[in-house]
Amino acid sequence: MSELIQAVLKSEERSNFRQFASLLRSADKKYLLRNEILQLFNEKSEQFSDSPNLQKLIRYVQEIILENDFFCLIIRPRIAKQEAYRILEDLTVEPMSVQELLDLRDRFVNHYHPQEGDVYEIDFAPFYDYSPVLRDPKNIGKGVEYLNRFLSSQLFQDEKKGQVSLYQFLQLHRYNGLQLLINERIRSTEELSDRVKQALGIVSDRDPNDPYQTFRFELQDLGFEPGWGNTAARVRETLEILDQLIDSPDHQTLDAFISRIPMIFRVALISPHGWFGQEGVLGRPDTGGQVVYILDQVKSLEKQLQEDLELAGLAILGVQPKVIVLTRLIPNSDGTLCNQRLEKIYGTTDAWILRVPFREFNPHLTQNWISRFEIWPYLETFAIDAERELRAEFQGRPDLIIGNYSDGNLVAFLLARRLKVTHCIIAHALEKSKYLFSNLYWQDLEDKYHFSLQFTADLIAMNAANFIISSTYQEIVGTPESVGQYESYKSFTMPDLYHVVDGIELFSPKFNVVPPGVNEAVFFPFTRTEDRLLNDRERLENLLFYDDDPEQIYGKLDNPDKRPLFSMARLDRIKNLTGLAETYGQSESLQERCNLILIAGKLRTDDSTDHEEISEIEKLYEIIDRYQLKGKIRWLGVRLPKIDTGEVYRVIADREGIFVQPALFEAFGLTILEAMVTGLPMFATRFGGPLEIIQNKVNGFYINPTNYEETAEVILEFLDQCDRDPHYWSQISQRGIERVYSTYTWKIHTTRLLSLAKIYGFWNYTSQDHREDMMRYIESLFYLLYRPRAQGLLAEQLQRS
Ligand code: UDP
Ligand code: LCN
């Protein structure tokens, strides 16, 4: 990138660059973000029309910080890369190191005190020096493919060593004392190779459909235990793959073989903070998509594990999977089941919600729901107590631990470390990207959000995890224009606390994109009338358009037959339902053509203790009042059970309505999948996951929710097109349905998740020694940085209550 800067400075464009610099000085701002820089530049675009290099450079500039005698250009020359340059008054260009940039940021907020000593630096880079990394940013998020290739070449470079690792790995597997795969009769790699061939002889002579039980003991004599397959054909296939892996290993064979090994029987999913339950919890603060995601994932996971164990020939021996969602028990559970220790998950054989209470350091708080921003002091002891409970429920250790969200990921780290189990994490939403400048101004926000704990926990968990599942590519490294959620942890300052010089290796194969699906029994196309219940349809139609129930519904429609413009979300600031109301309020055309229907949890501030929710409720009333939207809007202050939400989308689709998702930022957005698969044309925020789910104008539309006028235009253009072409609505609706079925199903998700868990489990086993130094570093962050801060927060909370 420095060449591009030089190209500008050494050409006739130099004077334009100088003009641009003076434009910056006149902007009256010392810290400019990409949008502001582009706006400034575009406003004077005629001045720069003959500066192709400068135009190009500006496209890559992410931020500019102005100092008295220089300014700093922060450039993102490509995805997952950042460079910084200091431009002096005489246009001399000097590259800046990460440390210098972080110092500059501290200076910007008046928290730069070099005379008081160096700032504490967190740097993970050295620990990734000797681990494999991808080269091409396009491959980020496809870590496992790379890892397989790397592993197989490393493993079999030294053929003997590779075979020993494989042999030792095969000896490890047991289920409740039952030895699997191979027993002590196979004493060496050579014997393994011979016996595989002999076993192949036995199974090849049999009818392919012969059940495993009929030749189990013959194989056992040779040294093979259950786990190879349920029929002669399946056992033969698996042994053939192993034979090939021993004789001529390659990454595809390794993948095929490891994916077949029965390694996972018990899975623990960790989600401590919210109201985690199956009824009456959705729409409460902190409890949204994550609960839906996990419950659907569990069902699909159990089914997939059952299928795998059946195929491995283990189901018949009584081997059954067990899945547990670990959450906190909330004694004052407000009518929900969140105060019950165990709750069976509907539609499963052996999947449970296990609730473990927080220790009572502070009964005022620990008896009740605690916001996700306040729970940090309780997590360490929660993990200790949960370990005991999990061991009791599983009658042993789980084989895989999956953390969810920052708090669950931290607990998963503690548990996985203690239990020595493969550790996966899922972010759902990293708060760091949701709140602008949340790290730079952390001290001002600490009272409400405690980001110092959250971001430290995130760093710990993302580095400790064996693998990370993200829902989209951009969750990891963003788009060419915007920084990814994980990418934002690469380097940042928490002034007066620490500098993160290198927080995460974005090119690590630990990152894998595995998007969620939708529950297809609940969310299916509105055209599948045979599966819809007339009663539900009428009841929900009345609820949406006609019922008069001031307790839970605000607004009576003047003309209920107008096309519904629908949205459903929790009332937090980022979901921006108020922005949608503002868009609607400002557009008379939209008001003429559509009614606005919102499902948004609550109607009254008295019913909430959440500061963001309260302020959004007030704002929504104010907007309705300001634009006199009475008669045009229905605001349902209800929390719908999931089963109803499917039919709600369909009722809106019956009337050729549309769904608008106006979030300021949406990490993924399950409502988007749900509404699309039921057939609702989707208008979703261009900030975050929806950018990847939707293909603009093909199966949905992007909106910029901060630009009310433009959003209204996008919707109006669609409505005009629907007027011109009576098939247009159905076309978009149909393509939305196809998009979800082709790409976003739980079957795809869990097949991939389990295959990842096995391969990373294998890698974890073969590369254990390489990680221990990093794990020790992470532990010191936890004990020396996180824990004292968590204890400080507890002291504050005790004082407050
Ligand atoms: N939801 C629901 N009932 C409601 C409101 C929301 O079942 O009254 C569900 C919605 O169908 C979706 C989830 O809550 O499955 C919200 O997930 P999303 O990923 O869109 O957002 P999050 O709340 O996790 O940020
Ligand atoms: C949290 C969010 O904010 C959503 O964007 C996701 O869809 C949800 O979790 C499930 O991952």
Side-chain angles (χ1 to χ4, degrees), residues 289-290 293 428-429 666-670:
Q290 194 184 144
Y293 180 118
H428 294 286
E666 186 61 65
F668 184 74
L670 289 175

Side-chain angles (χ1 to χ4, degrees), residues 372-374 376 405-406 430-459 489 492 494 497-498 573-574 612 786 789 793:
R372 67 190 186 282
F373 297 120
E374 300 276 342
W376 306 105
Y405 190 72
S406 306
L430 288 164
E431 303 292 341
K432 189 161 175 298
S433 340
K434 281 200 195 167
Y435 296 82
L436 194 63
F437 291 130
S438 48
N439 59 296
L440 201 56
Y441 293 109
W442 71 273
Q443 291 170 94
D444 303 335
L445 299 167
E446 193 67 355
D447 245 16
K448 269 191 196 156
Y449 294 106
H450 310 291
F451 285 143
S452 69
L453 281 151
Q454 185 148 11
F455 300 166
T456 309
D458 288 337
L459 284 170
Y489 287 76
F492 63 98
M494 298 286 280
L497 184 62
Y498 55 66
R573 192 183 70 82
I574 306 279
E612 281 194 15
Y786 177 92
R789 293 199 73 78
L793 174 57

Side-chain angles (χ1 to χ4, degrees), residues 282 288-289 292 568 570 575 638-640 645 669-671 674:
L282 288 177
V292 176
M568 175 172 79
R570 290 173 292 122
K575 291 289 180 197
V638 292
R639 250 178 262 133
L640 288 181
T645 53
L670 289 175
T671 51
E674 295 164 357

Side-chain angles (χ1 to χ4, degrees), residues 259 264 297-312 321 323 746-755 758:
S259 301
I264 300 187
Q297 189 189 40
V298 166
K299 289 175 198 154
S300 170
L301 202 56
E302 189 196 51
K303 198 157 158 242
Q304 193 60 47
L305 284 167
Q306 283 168 342
E307 277 174 34
D308 291 354
L309 294 177
E310 172 73 41
L311 275 179
V323 186
W746 281 112
K747 172 89 183 156
I748 304 176
H749 175 99
T750 31
T751 314
R752 190 139 175 80
L753 169 63
L754 287 175
S755 146
K758 291 176 183 178

Side-chain angles (χ1 to χ4, degrees), residues 771-784:
R771 274 170 53 84
E772 195 50 25
D773 47 3
M774 173 155 78
M775 295 308 286
R776 287 296 191 193
Y777 180 64
I778 290 174
E779 275 179 352
S780 63
L781 287 182
F782 178 78
Y783 292 109
L784 300 176

Side-chain angles (χ1 to χ4, degrees), residues 657-659 671-684 689-703 714 718 728-744:
I658 62 171
F659 191 93
T671 51
I672 294 167
L673 293 190
E674 295 164 357
M676 277 170 82
V677 80
T678 47
L680 278 177
M682 173 59 58
F683 294 76
L691 202 62
E692 244 161 89
I693 304 174
I694 296 168
Q695 293 156 311
N696 196 25
K697 300 189 184 167
V698 177
N699 42 36
F701 301 85
Y702 300 150
I703 55 167
V714 175
F718 170 82
Y728 189 58
W729 186 94
S730 306
Q731 248 174 36
I732 298 289
S733 158
Q734 190 52 37
R735 290 201 210 127
I737 295 172
E738 282 158 17
R739 174 74 176 159
V740 178
Y741 282 140
S742 68
T743 321
Y744 299 100

